[in-house]
Amino acid sequence: MTAAVALTWGASFLFIAVAIDHVETAVVPMARLAFGAAALACFPAARRGVDKADLRRIAALGFVAMTVPFYLYPLAEHSVSSSVTGMINGSIPVTTVLAAAILTRTAPSRRRSLAVLIGFAGIAMISFGSVGEDRGASVHGVLFLLLATCCYAFTSIMSRELQVKYGTLPVLLRQELFALLFTLPLGIPALGRSSFDWSAVATLAVLGALGTGFAYVMYGMLMVRAGAVRGVIGVFFTPVVATILGVAFRDEKVTVLAVLGMLVVISGAWLTSRPD
């Protein structure tokens, strides 16, 4: 299950790169949310009801946690390779610690503060090693990715209360449905400007059904069976998977400094997962 999570989420950046070769940027979040919601709806636990009073909050979470970052990733990948995208995405556990400190107004422990510094040092190494002609990234593309990771970080903290109340899947399904609704004004017109290609359809279907659907179910089961510390290991390997796939299937160039930065980010992310 750890391998399945790492492969699924690590491959998502390659799938996005393939899709945007044929479809407009706004089609990607719309398609992956449609396929993802359809996959989650297959699980009875996801269809359990929630109070109407909480729907507005879930809608807001859907917009910030999915609509915005799901648009930013394909937008960034027009000027950032899938390998570098995966590397920077590995910083989410680090930015989550920072988001928790801001939202709770509580300073993290010394070890986690050190982990945050290590993580951001790794991000800087990836950025400096990748930005520039023929290096795989642009400055604005990296900024889009950092904004997307911040969206994930803050909403993972903000959604915790709802997930404790209802369980992960009912909240996640409704987040995806609201996020899908928010993507339609840009996604439907963009669909008409896109070219049909079976590879794009296939990658979007896998990206949605597996990456935005079943992978969350597997990850939830893994956290229960293996515990919080061991269960999160698969997330640490997603940048490695993304890098290998980008180099193997897209012939992307990765600098030594960027690879070292990725390892530093993974080290910082691992430190954040250790209990105080």
Side-chain angles (χ1 to χ4, degrees), residues 74-121:
L75 186 64
E77 286 201 40
H78 283 290
S79 59
V80 180
S81 68
S82 64
S83 301
V84 175
T85 302
M87 290 179 184
I88 294 177
N89 189 75
S91 67
I92 289 177
V94 177
T95 54
T96 300
V97 173
L98 189 59
I102 293 172
L103 290 174
T104 62
R105 298 181 180 180
T106 303
S109 65
R110 288 185 178 181
R111 182 182 54 75
R112 286 189 171 166
S113 297
L114 176 61
V116 169
L117 292 175
I118 292 173
F120 280 105

Side-chain angles (χ1 to χ4, degrees), residues 4-179:
V5 169
L7 287 171
T8 302
W9 282 342
S12 63
F13 311 106
L14 173 64
F15 295 152
I16 292 172
V18 173
I20 60 176
D21 285 340
H22 305 282
V23 302
E24 293 282 322
T25 301
V27 173
V28 177
M30 181 179 68
R32 71 181 292 187
L33 284 164
F35 284 117
L40 282 178
C42 295
F43 294 89
R47 301 195 298 269
R48 287 201 297 261
V50 301
D51 295 338
K52 290 184 178 180
D54 289 322
L55 289 179
R56 183 177 297 179
R57 186 176 174 187
I58 293 174
L61 286 170
F63 180 77
V64 179
M66 294 180 174
T67 304
V68 174
F70 284 9
Y71 184 81
L72 287 173
Y73 277 107
L75 186 64
E77 286 201 40
H78 283 290
S79 59
V80 180
S81 68
S82 64
S83 301
V84 175
T85 302
M87 290 179 184
I88 294 177
N89 189 75
S91 67
I92 289 177
V94 177
T95 54
T96 300
V97 173
L98 189 59
I102 293 172
L103 290 174
T104 62
R105 298 181 180 180
T106 303
S109 65
R110 288 185 178 181
R111 182 182 54 75
R112 286 189 171 166
S113 297
L114 176 61
V116 169
L117 292 175
I118 292 173
F120 280 105
I123 294 172
M125 291 172 66
I126 295 170
S127 301
F128 284 122
S130 303
V131 170
E133 293 184 7
D134 300 325
R135 288 190 178 183
S138 66
V139 174
H140 67 271
V142 170
L143 292 176
F144 288 153
L145 293 174
L146 290 176
L147 178 57
T149 61
C150 288
C151 287
Y152 282 147
F154 277 95
T155 51
S156 67
I157 302 299
M158 295 166 64
S159 64
R160 188 169 298 167
E161 180 183 338
L162 288 169
Q163 291 179 354
V164 169
K165 183 176 181 180
Y166 299 111
T168 299
L169 294 187
V171 176
L172 192 62
L173 175 59
R174 284 158 181 82
Q175 278 186 215
E176 292 192 5
L177 290 173
F178 277 118

Side-chain angles (χ1 to χ4, degrees), residues 248-273:
F249 292 99
R250 302 281 292 185
D251 196 27
E252 296 173 350
K253 294 179 175 61
V254 178
T255 66
V256 174
L257 183 59
V259 173
L260 291 175
M262 176 185 68
L263 297 177
V264 172
V265 168
I266 292 173
S267 299
W270 178 79
L271 285 172
T272 65
S273 72

